[in-house]
Amino acid sequence: MRGKLTLLAGVCAGAIAFPAFAQDTAAAEEPAASPEIVVTAQRTNQRLQDVPIAVSAFNSEALDKQQIKNTSDLQLSLPNVTFTKTNFTDASFTIRGIGDLCVGVTCDQATAIHMNNAPLFGTRLFEGEFYDLGQLEVLRGPQGTLFGRNATSGVVNIKSARPKLNRTEANFEAGYGSFNEVKGKGMINVPLGDMAALRVAGFYLNRGGYTTNIFDNSKIDDRDMWGARASLRVEPDSGTTFDFMVQYFHEKDNRMRIQKQMCDRDPTGVMGCLAGSRQFEMTNSNTTFVGVLTSREFLTTQLGGTALAPLANLLALGSIYGSDPYNWAGATNPADYRTVNTDTNPTYFTREWIAQAGMDQELGGGVSLSLQGNYQNVVLDSSQDYNLSVQNRANYTPALTALQAGALAGAFGPGTAAYFLPVYNALTPNGPNGVLCTSLPEETGTGAYGGHRSCAMTPQDYDRSNQYQSSWSAEAIISSKWDGNFNFLLGGIYSKFHLTENSYYVNAFGIDYFAGILGAITALSTGRPPSYLGTPFFRNTSDDLRISSQGVFGEMYYDFNDRVKLTLGVRYNHDEKTVKARSTLASFLTPHTSTNAFQTPYAAGFDADPSTVCSPAGSNVAGALGSVPGCDAFSIKTVKFNEMTGRAVLNFAVTDDNMLYVSYSRGYKSGGINPPLQPIFAVSDTFKPEFVNAFEIGSKNSFAGGKVILNVTGFYYSYKDLQLSRIVARTSVNDNVSATIYGLELEAVLRPTPEMTINIGASYLHAEVSEDKFLANPRDFSGGRADAVLIKDLTNGANCAVSSNTGLAGTAGGATGVNGFVNQVNTMINAGAIPGLKPGAGLQPTTAFPSGSGLNSTGAFSVCDALSAMAPLIGAGFGGVTVHSSGIPVNIKGNVLPGSPDYKFSAGVQYALPVGEMTLTPRADYIYTGKSYGNIFNGVVNEVPSFSQVNAQLQLDGPGKKWFLRGWIQNLTDSDAITGLYVTDQSSGNYTNVFTLEPRRYGLTAGIKF
């Protein structure tokens, strides 16, 4: 019957494990002597070896044989493919060096995830388990003229098994494994008369945690998830097919978003973590936003020389040159990726609905119509200890004792108790030796001062990432299947995406304390009622995001003869994005009587959009953020893109079993809008779309009657405006760079005997920045120069750098001059000679970083605005200096793109041994992934080491394969393989978040089918 999907009957030529076949409507038949693998990569059923695209495919049996249980496992079997979780509950599926290098809600996916050919937005499919699949295809290279949304790196197309009209069948399996893993999955298929069938499938997974938390001896990073799918197929006649599907996924557990934090601690406190290596240490908390803004040095710049000056020493939590609350015996960072020390265990919740409806209709004359609609709804909420650490509360005892005296006994002077009592009640309700309370991440922005708090005996810090979104798409395709030389495909798609909440919070007791104390002092000194600084936590939120995308695409196919075929494709795309967003952190004075911090009457100076000019004079509506003319309560931006892309392919069938092809394709991914920053740095509001011109040459071959399959592909990519993310002012900002990528891929399958199958995959990849592009490295704002000073800003916890104008990098004269300039300005700050800064800060001279730090400059605490103001006034006396507020940029030309391992290799072997009427099949797989980088600035500190993994299993199949028993082990050597890195903001301490593969697991699984 035409228009029906043919279930994949095997696996790809780079991942073939155990070919298996199924028919859609006819009764089961015996496999052919030389089985063929059928894929739908070009929206029609074709032999894999006839498709002039680099495509890999798996059926459910092949996934089981190679122990590919989820999306992360796919990288172990595919050439030039990697997968890693990323920092903000997302993931990056990278193909040929191109993955989700862009971070932000307006970023499109480089690798498009589809289900049953329909594009998905922000799906959580990569977190669940595969179950009851018809096939899974991975297309490498730009896609756009066949699939609904543009994708510059490739497409992962997950196809659920469709109902079968002519039979009742079912299968169930259950297993138990290490970490008390209990897993089950099953399916039942029931015909509904002669024209319809219903198929219901599901899975359940529950296991204990991989990671030990030595703080409370608990196990975290567990899993508790399940999914279910119901599919209905209706065939009223031989030319019409309707498909309906509803799928639900649910997870609620203690999943960790990051596995480990690493740091080579900076004893100076200027950088937090040094730039030479990654160690199992904690950042120096004196460098953080909290450490700086609760220090006596900062408070002195605000209060010194006034009547409130004594409060700087009394209420400061510490000194930037003093004891570090993370540097004590109780804050060890265990030298093991599966052991942490945290006083806040993670929480994780997500659920996803997917609903689909489709129709395939034969129109006659060899022309068919396909219609499909897709709806998706996703909720996500995750929280984790921000620093994976335990702070030493003893450091805070003097200040908390002073707060108690000021709040309860009026120790700070007449009329002051009322200003500090709300702070005391919110944060230390039982006194300085009782519980310490931290704001919860919540929407009113009042936190602990509005009664939204979490209390513990240790100072807590944690983050929260949440998201609520929905989307839908509709697609129509008309295609021909004529007997002549010419055929065509014409399609159109319209999709809408609506995100109603996407927030990232960082909460810490120290932020609450700073917001409360400085708010009280500010309100007291300005004659306003008792107040705090709202929000008493960091919140970067996209309150509303709307994306619409329209595409028209088509291809024509011309057969010159039986051997030579030409494919030409073109696509027009229109993308429009509008986002409403803002970022707040102790940004405006808020009375303690407020029930919503964003309704404060004292927000006249707050501007959520630093790109606009804000005039704080006057007010239209008192009490509403953004009511001041020129000031914005939210940053509201819109971008639009219209682009044409396409492809051309020429393939030549040398013989019926050997094909050569060459192709050119142009890929496109739309640009977007950078999140709003607090007014510390200036960055571009938007980032541009990226384009790739991709050239590919390939050969697909079958030898010895199918006993040897050998496919080889070479490719060259010229990228323009590739989107890359870096952290700036506590927010991910995206830049555009050009890149060159080329590589080779080899996939082979050997079947020396009917019982033995050997599969081999190998790849080489070269991916580098191809243009002169100057960016500041967050790990080293001094740009590697010796004639520079790296500055930790005392007023905001950010960094800047000062360089010499006269001395060349590395010369003694330049270094002497720039150090003298910084020391002179610090002396002026200490003396109160800089407007806006009170005297007595006690800033110290520049200091050298330790040997092996990866930093050539010296460092110092100072004030970047003061350095900028004094550079033109006194800088000439030191040979001339330049202050770089966003760091000294370095040229990243020639640097390797993140997530691009140079070499990959995989090999698997299995042998089906007859045992009476049963079959015993042992299988082993070896996977090697070469070195890569987790950051565009490369270097040893950003290196992702190469790793190997070994998997093995032994399966006994009963007569007719009606039942099986499988023993399995994954990651036999218990390798702690790192898949990705994320370098956090300077005001958080420049530590590195590390993402890893799962540890060694083993278990026993049994299944039955009928």
Side-chain angles (χ1 to χ4, degrees), residues 369-553:
L369 169 68
S370 176
L371 301 174
Q372 183 174 42
N374 184 85
Y375 172 79
Q376 185 184 3
N377 185 281
V378 179
V379 172
L380 171 69
D381 204 327
S382 170
S383 179
Q384 186 164 336
D385 191 314
Y386 188 67
N387 292 104
L388 285 180
S389 65
V390 181
Q391 297 180 56
N392 184 4
R393 67 172 291 160
N395 287 43
Y396 302 157
T397 300
L400 300 183
T401 301
L403 173 62
Q404 182 183 46
L408 299 183
F412 302 150
T416 60
Y419 286 84
F420 294 96
L421 182 60
V423 181
Y424 172 83
N425 287 335
L427 305 185
T428 58
N430 300 323
N433 298 315
V435 295
L436 305 178
C437 299
T438 302
S439 287
L440 292 172
E442 48 81 39
E443 287 73 17
T444 71
T446 61
Y449 300 107
H452 310 286
R453 61 185 183 177
S454 172
C455 302
M457 291 304 296
T458 56
Q460 294 184 307
D461 47 28
Y462 41 78
D463 66 7
R464 179 191 180 196
S465 179
N466 69 328
Q467 186 176 117
Y468 312 103
Q469 68 179 58
S470 61
S471 62
W472 63 268
S473 64
E475 183 179 52
I477 292 178
I478 297 177
S479 60
S480 69
K481 198 170 183 179
W482 296 324
D483 294 332
N485 293 31
F486 175 81
N487 278 284
F488 74 92
L489 177 148
L490 180 64
I493 186 171
Y494 183 81
S495 61
K496 297 278 284 187
F497 172 85
H498 187 201
L499 184 148
T500 56
E501 169 69 10
N502 180 284
S503 288
Y504 181 68
Y505 302 82
V506 178
N507 297 65
F509 172 79
I511 298 178
D512 282 307
Y513 184 84
F514 161 74
I517 294 299
L518 200 63
I521 291 173
T522 303
L524 178 64
S525 61
T526 58
R528 291 172 177 173
S531 302
Y532 61 95
L533 296 179
T535 56
F537 46 76
F538 173 75
R539 184 189 183 193
N540 191 293
T541 181
S542 296
D543 190 70
D544 186 81
L545 169 65
R546 298 174 186 268
I547 300 176
S548 65
S549 181
Q550 306 163 45
V552 179
F553 52 94

Side-chain angles (χ1 to χ4, degrees), residues 85 88-90 122-124 126-127 249 251 255 257 347-352 377-383 464-469 501-503:
K85 295 298 293 291
F88 305 105
T89 66
D90 287 325
T123 181
R124 312 316 295 180
F126 57 80
E127 294 173 339
F249 172 70
E251 178 180 356
R255 178 196 285 266
R257 292 202 320 273
T347 63
Y348 200 92
F349 170 75
T350 186
R351 65 134 178 93
E352 178 175 22
N377 185 281
V378 179
V379 172
L380 171 69
D381 204 327
S382 170
S383 179
R464 179 191 180 196
S465 179
N466 69 328
Q467 186 176 117
Y468 312 103
Q469 68 179 58
E501 169 69 10
N502 180 284
S503 288

Side-chain angles (χ1 to χ4, degrees), residues 916-991:
E917 295 183 346
M918 299 181 294
T919 304
L920 184 66
T921 307
R923 179 178 176 89
D925 287 275
Y926 171 79
I927 304 101
Y928 171 81
T929 300
K931 181 183 74 173
S932 62
Y933 293 97
N935 186 292
I936 191 59
F937 296 99
N938 294 181
V940 175
V941 71
N942 294 315
E943 184 177 304
V944 177
S946 62
F947 65 88
S948 298
Q949 183 161 316
V950 178
N951 301 330
Q953 69 177 17
L954 182 65
Q955 179 162 322
L956 179 66
D957 289 290
K961 293 190 176 181
K962 295 298 184 182
W963 59 265
F964 74 87
L965 185 65
R966 180 192 308 133
W968 55 270
I969 185 167
Q970 195 164 13
N971 193 2
L972 178 65
T973 61
D974 200 21
S975 169
D976 288 320
I978 296 174
T979 59
L981 309 174
Y982 184 87
V983 181
T984 193
D985 178 60
Q986 298 150 336
S987 64
S988 296
N990 276 110
Y991 56 76

